[in-house]
Amino acid sequence: MTAANGKENIALVEINHGPYLVKPINEAFDDGQRPINIHASNVVWLDYKNTSWVSSKSKAEISFLLNDHEYKSLFVKLPKGYIGTFETNGSILHSVVIQGQLSYDMPQGQETKVLDAGSYFGSTENATHKVKNISNGATMLYIRTNGAVYVK
């Protein structure tokens, strides 16, 4: 369970290990797992000086949320006017636009999509994702992968 009190609320629920089964209340149990709620004031942003995952020319910043042996979860903040790529060496990449708006070039063809908050893009193999921040300010993404992500 989680709560939010903004004008618009988006909840992202991730389950590292399944299956996730909804049961009737009389079958409820507590297995000790707890949600992680992150407030914006508690996010530590790293630029190219602090991580090799960000190129110095991108001016992007990242914040690691989870970095275990299997998965990595992070926020990526793209500055106004950013044009660049995300490259991953993992076999899975899931990304959700949290704030702002992106122009996203589809890898399979010449089509370009506009991605608003709540929009998703991903890949199931090593891939390069071409994006452009078309917002009036920074755009923030949530990314989950089983490899590294390089913001160029």
Side-chain angles (χ1 to χ4, degrees):
M1 303 278 300
T2 189
N5 62 1
K7 290 180 182 178
E8 287 187 39
N9 297 304
I10 297 174
L12 173 66
V13 177
E14 272 191 313
I15 300 166
N16 287 342
H17 303 285
Y20 177 72
L21 304 172
V22 177
K23 299 196 177 264
I25 197 162
N26 62 339
E27 296 180 36
F29 61 93
D30 184 350
D31 66 358
Q33 294 184 46
R34 299 292 180 260
I36 299 173
N37 292 303
I38 301 167
H39 191 275
S41 65
N42 291 329
V43 175
V44 176
W45 292 104
L46 306 173
D47 62 12
Y48 73 93
K49 297 175 194 167
N50 304 107
T51 178
S52 62
W53 288 26
V54 175
S55 165
S56 61
K57 58 186 169 184
S58 77
K59 299 201 181 349
E61 296 175 299
I62 65 173
S63 180
F64 291 99
L65 304 173
L66 172 69
N67 189 10
D68 69 15
H69 68 280
E70 192 173 355
Y71 292 103
K72 286 106 179 89
S73 296
L74 55 142
F75 284 140
V76 176
K77 184 168 36 171
L78 304 174
K80 179 180 177 180
Y82 171 88
I83 300 172
T85 62
F86 293 95
E87 296 177 8
T88 179
N89 63 6
S91 59
I92 298 169
L93 181 128
H94 300 288
S95 181
V96 177
V97 178
I98 302 297
Q99 171 186 313
Q101 193 175 55
L102 288 180
S103 173
Y104 177 75
D105 291 343
M106 299 291 289
Q108 299 87 357
Q110 300 301 320
E111 190 176 4
T112 299
K113 298 278 188 179
V114 173
L115 304 179
D116 295 317
S119 297
Y120 167 89
F121 67 88
S123 58
T124 54
E125 59 187 38
N126 293 2
T128 299
H129 300 273
K130 297 177 184 178
V131 298
K132 177 181 179 183
N133 181 0
I134 56 174
S135 298
N136 290 328
T139 291
M140 189 164 62
L141 304 169
Y142 170 81
I143 293 179
R144 179 173 179 182
T145 184
N146 63 348
V149 175
Y150 303 100
V151 184
K152 298 183 175 187

